[in-house]
Amino acid sequence: MAEVLVLVDHVDGEIKKVTTELLTAARRIGEPAAVWVGEGAESGKARLAEFGAEKVYVAPAELNDYVVAPKAELLAKLANDASAAAILVSATPENKEVAGRTAVKLGSGVLTDVVDVDAEIVTEHSVFGGSTITHAKVTAGIPVVAVRPNSVAPEAAQGAAVEEEVSVELSDAAKGAKVTERVVQEKGARPELAEAAIVVSGGRGVGSDDFSVVEGLADALGAAVGASRAAVDSGWYPNQFQVGQTGKTVSPNLYIALGISGAIQHRAGMQTSKNIVAVNKDPEAPIFELADFGVIGDLHKVAPQLTEEIGRRK
Amino acid sequence: MGVQGGWPPAMNIVVLVKQVPDTATERKLSSDDKTLDRAASDGVINELDEYAIEEALLLREKHGGEVTVLTMGPDQATDSIRKALSMGADKAVHVNDEALHGSDALQTAYALSRALGRMEFDLVVLGSESTDARTGVVGAALAEYLELPQLTLAGKVDIEGRAIKVQRLTDYGYDVVEAQLPAVVSVVEKINEPRYPSFKLIMQAKKKPVEKLTIADAEIDAAKVGLANATTETVDFAPAPPRAAGTIVKDEGDGGTKVADFLAEKKFV
């Protein structure tokens, strides 16, 4: 069976959930081969094996010193050497760029923001703010597919996870943009927005930069915090937490929208969430069209009561 | 560093713009060839492109030079060109050829790289993604084709001489990325606040030069662009099934408890 390369997302050896989702999807197509860049493969390997990785390619951390291009050179080389059936990456902004460059190198095609992929590498997409479902495929070369986190249910299956060290001679062009510093701004220990199983977002209705009503509920649920564009534009919450058309796209099992009207700008970033709960004062707010459960009321009353209720039921 | 208004221009900046269907209108694919149905909705400039134009104008104000708009698209794309020119860009290049119809993101990057190949520039600036296709790969693919440093997802841009430094947005905050010009920069919306065109600029924009290019002019290989040569194919499309109508209740002092009941039913608590 042909190899399916899966680019591993990890933070210092701890692999992200999306990688287990990608390995699960890869098994439909062929034999999953994980591609690990940087330190920590030793500690992460067991989990890759648990989700069916037959092979783990380990590439040096230096590839992270430059923007995107080195990973593309690595993936293109591995894909060519192994005559891979496909390359799967998570549909994060960075990995979509990796996917694009890799496909250019391979002379193949790239499909992004995929919400499902089958054995024939036909992909499903939710487009135009979730109003349209499309299916697509790559028609030339080795398909490069970027899958949205939380789209594929991870299923365990034992793999051998045979480690193989790989190196790649980087071209000068790949070394053009050097990362000279990494600045961590994320606050607290909440799950990452794109990956979180539950997201609680606040919008205009929060009314100020005091997001504690949103954060309190999020923490009670072990959720990530998001914000609408209105809240971010008002300076109430940092930009990297913005959910929507020009922010992040999330697809959690549960999305709770507090004081968010649900303009297309926001819907485009959360419409594929499995369960949607909305709290809004305005009974006409379009968010209620999406909601599985909605409360017409003041979020400053409803959310604290909910937070307390969750605490009581734990 | 150049002097404002000096000649030759201190910095040549090319801004890429794309005309997209207005997100406020209903957007459709065409049943004929599964490409965007441009007649179904009003065309507007891609929102993030306005931030790219603004950044280019700010850099021109600081370093001197010239801002050229580059777009690829059908006749209607002239609306977006005019918008960019009325914000203050100096001139425009419009690659318009029936052969480009149906090009995917990588083909678009290829075609733009060819058009850029015949222009002189120090910097290419674009929005980090378009509101229609939302692939977010054009900036990266363009850097790949041009073999130039990729400074994408920038929330801040600083240029000193030939050195460029950006803050690249990441999940955890940002990376500081450094390179030498020429380079490709894509911007995110936190980078600036796009200006509104003044009446004076709107009037001036009508007289600014717009160069029209066919694919032959831009030396774009016809075998590498267009729907027939696309590296991806839309197999089918359909309206998303409507979500089952949810339960909407009015808060009677027990709204939070009712949500908790719903979450318990769904096994979230």
Side-chain angles (χ1 to χ4, degrees):
Chain A
M1 238 190 325
E3 279 183 17
V4 179
L5 301 180
V6 170
L7 181 61
V8 176
D9 285 340
H10 69 96
V11 179
D12 303 328
E14 192 173 333
I15 75 166
K16 294 192 180 179
K17 180 166 159 269
V18 65
T19 298
T20 65
E21 297 164 5
L22 295 179
L23 289 169
T24 304
R27 296 206 306 269
R28 300 171 186 164
I29 302 163
E31 199 174 274
V35 181
W36 188 289
V37 179
E39 309 293 333
E42 238 359 88
S43 57
K45 217 170 68 172
R47 194 148 174 78
L48 297 175
E50 226 177 286
F51 286 87
E54 294 297 340
K55 203 180 266 182
V56 182
Y57 292 111
V58 180
E62 289 74 64
L63 268 62
N64 289 322
D65 293 348
Y66 307 94
V67 175
V68 170
K71 283 183 183 166
E73 293 198 347
L74 171 71
L75 288 175
K77 179 181 184 291
L78 292 173
N80 275 329
D81 289 354
S83 303
I87 302 173
L88 304 187
V89 304
S90 64
T92 61
E94 164 140 343
N95 282 350
K96 289 202 286 183
E97 296 187 330
V98 172
R101 291 193 77 137
T102 305
V104 170
K105 285 186 182 299
L106 292 170
S108 66
V110 61
L111 294 163
T112 56
D113 286 303
V114 165
V115 297
D116 204 4
V117 56
D118 70 11
E120 310 303 316
I121 324 177
V122 172
T123 57
E124 185 170 299
H125 307 251
S126 166
V127 303
F128 298 157
S131 67
T132 304
I133 302 287
T134 66
H135 290 98
K137 62 182 182 187
V138 169
T139 51
I142 300 170
V144 187
V145 177
V147 183
R148 210 179 262 181
N150 284 321
S151 296
V152 175
E155 288 163 26
Q158 196 60 37
V162 177
E163 199 174 319
E164 186 178 322
E165 283 199 23
V166 290
S167 62
V168 51
E169 191 71 31
L170 293 181
S171 69
D172 286 343
K175 294 192 269 194
K178 188 166 173 50
V179 179
T180 53
E181 194 185 348
R182 294 184 199 278
V183 180
V184 178
Q185 290 180 316
E186 189 108 345
K187 39 179 179 180
R190 296 196 184 96
E192 193 186 299
L193 189 52
E195 280 247 317
I198 304 177
V199 174
V200 181
S201 287
R204 200 185 298 277
V206 176
S208 75
D209 62 0
D210 180 4
F211 249 57
S212 56
V213 64
V214 181
E215 292 175 334
L217 177 56
D219 291 341
L221 288 163
V225 173
S228 74
R229 180 170 177 177
V232 170
D233 280 355
S234 303
W236 299 345
Y237 219 65
N239 176 273
Q240 68 260 38
F241 297 98
Q242 184 176 323
V243 172
Q245 190 153 250
T246 49
K248 292 215 162 75
T249 301
V250 298
S251 199
N253 290 328
L254 174 63
Y255 188 88
I256 301 183
L258 301 175
I260 294 173
S261 68
I264 178 76
Q265 156 67 225
H266 192 72
R267 291 208 304 267
M270 47 67 76
Q271 188 144 5
T272 53
S273 304
K274 279 77 172 179
N275 292 282
I276 296 172
V277 170
V279 180
N280 203 295
K281 271 185 190 168
D282 176 10
E284 304 297 322
I287 193 81
F288 287 125
E289 294 164 19
L290 296 182
D292 299 292
F293 195 86
V295 178
I296 301 162
D298 182 357
L299 74 95
H300 291 282
K301 295 202 174 82
V302 177
Q305 187 181 56
L306 173 58
T307 305
E308 205 185 307
E309 199 54 40
I310 290 164
R312 186 173 306 147
R313 295 184 192 199
K314 260 181 187 164
Chain B
M1 215 174 306
V3 179
Q4 175 135 18
W7 189 264
M11 185 149 42
N12 286 312
I13 305 172
V14 178
V15 186
L16 306 183
V17 305
K18 181 184 186 187
Q19 177 120 338
V20 297
D22 190 342
T23 57
T25 62
E26 192 188 354
R27 291 169 290 173
K28 284 183 186 163
L29 294 172
S30 154
S31 50
D32 306 338
D33 62 3
K34 300 172 191 136
T35 63
L36 185 65
D37 185 349
R38 290 181 197 267
S41 37
D42 297 334
V44 293
I45 191 167
N46 177 45
E47 199 184 329
L48 274 167
D49 298 352
E50 292 185 34
Y51 296 79
I53 296 162
E54 178 65 31
E55 198 58 25
L57 296 174
L58 291 172
L59 289 168
R60 184 188 66 186
E61 282 159 15
K62 197 166 173 194
H63 302 282
E66 205 169 47
V67 174
T68 306
V69 178
L70 171 62
T71 196
M72 174 180 136
D75 294 349
Q76 302 94 296
T78 48
D79 295 350
S80 292
I81 292 175
R82 193 145 303 136
K83 167 87 186 194
L85 293 175
S86 35
M87 282 176 72
D90 299 291
K91 57 192 174 61
V93 176
H94 183 181
V95 186
N96 182 358
D97 200 305
E98 186 49 38
L100 294 166
H101 173 77
S103 294
D104 61 30
L106 298 185
Q107 291 175 307
T108 300
Y110 159 73
L112 291 169
S113 77
R114 297 299 297 170
L116 282 160
R118 56 190 293 292
M119 300 165 77
E120 274 182 35
F121 63 89
D122 302 292
L123 194 63
V124 179
V125 189
L126 71 158
S128 58
E129 67 175 30
S130 65
T131 56
D132 54 354
R134 299 196 67 201
T135 64
V137 305
V138 171
L142 193 59
E144 176 72 30
Y145 278 117
L146 293 169
E147 297 188 1
L148 290 181
Q150 176 190 330
L151 304 166
T152 47
L153 302 168
K156 190 171 188 294
V157 178
D158 288 302
I159 294 176
E160 189 112 23
R162 301 299 291 172
I164 179 167
K165 187 194 267 197
V166 310
Q167 291 183 0
R168 169 178 170 83
L169 258 63
T170 64
D171 284 334
Y172 46 81
Y174 62 87
D175 287 349
V176 178
V177 180
E178 298 183 42
Q180 292 292 308
L181 297 177
V184 177
V185 170
S186 84
V187 302
V188 298
E189 69 176 30
K190 69 162 269 192
I191 195 166
N192 57 43
E193 195 60 52
R195 66 194 68 186
Y196 288 102
S198 67
F199 179 71
K200 191 177 155 207
L201 280 169
I202 292 170
M203 297 312 288
Q204 283 174 358
K206 294 177 178 164
K207 299 195 190 85
K208 289 176 178 170
V210 180
E211 187 187 2
K212 305 261 187 192
L213 298 181
T214 62
I215 62 164
D217 297 332
E219 294 177 37
I220 294 166
D221 183 350
K224 290 186 179 172
V225 292
L227 188 61
N229 304 305
T231 54
T232 55
E233 182 195 340
T234 302
V235 180
D236 59 36
F237 67 92
R243 291 185 82 99
T247 309
I248 311 294
V249 300
K250 202 164 179 303
D251 182 27
E252 309 277 4
D254 59 353
T257 310
K258 283 184 170 158
V259 177
D261 291 342
F262 172 79
L263 296 185
E265 186 194 318
K266 295 282 180 184
K267 306 210 183 330
F268 287 110
V269 290

